[in-house]
Amino acid sequence: VLAAQSSFAEALTHFQKAVELSSGKDEQSLSFLALMYSETDQLGQALEAARRALTVAEQAGDTQMEDTLRQRIALWQSGARVN
């Protein structure tokens, strides 16, 4: 809801907490955290969170999430913004 209202900085803190509560083992929380970092112009942290999410998705066998994350990572590495 916060992200939909463009309250990215506030949403970021909620996703950080979600990742913390899941001990970094929930690819959805990590993926959303990466997006919020991107929206708040923290590209380095966005890439780090997306790579962590990719690792979790690979371990879970979630190929759809893997593809999505690989695309985001490639875009961010090229300097593009993902919305």
Side-chain angles (χ1 to χ4, degrees):
V1 173
L2 293 170
Q5 297 172 349
S6 298
S7 298
F8 300 119
E10 189 175 350
L12 178 63
T13 61
H14 290 279
F15 285 116
Q16 288 170 324
K17 185 66 172 176
V19 168
E20 180 184 322
L21 290 171
S22 73
S23 299
K25 296 180 181 174
D26 177 52
E27 70 264 22
Q28 287 288 339
S29 296
L30 284 162
S31 175
F32 282 117
L33 178 63
L35 286 170
M36 292 307 99
Y37 277 132
S38 173
E39 290 293 340
T40 56
D41 296 320
Q42 299 178 68
L43 192 55
Q45 284 118 324
L47 282 164
E48 180 183 331
R51 288 181 184 120
R52 288 172 51 203
L54 178 58
T55 298
V56 174
E58 288 170 340
Q59 292 169 348
D62 188 343
T63 56
Q64 185 175 0
M65 179 62 86
E66 289 176 44
D67 291 342
T68 298
L69 289 164
R70 284 190 182 102
Q71 290 172 1
R72 286 182 192 161
I73 290 167
L75 284 170
W76 286 333
Q77 286 175 329
S78 74
R81 180 179 229 161
V82 178
N83 295 324

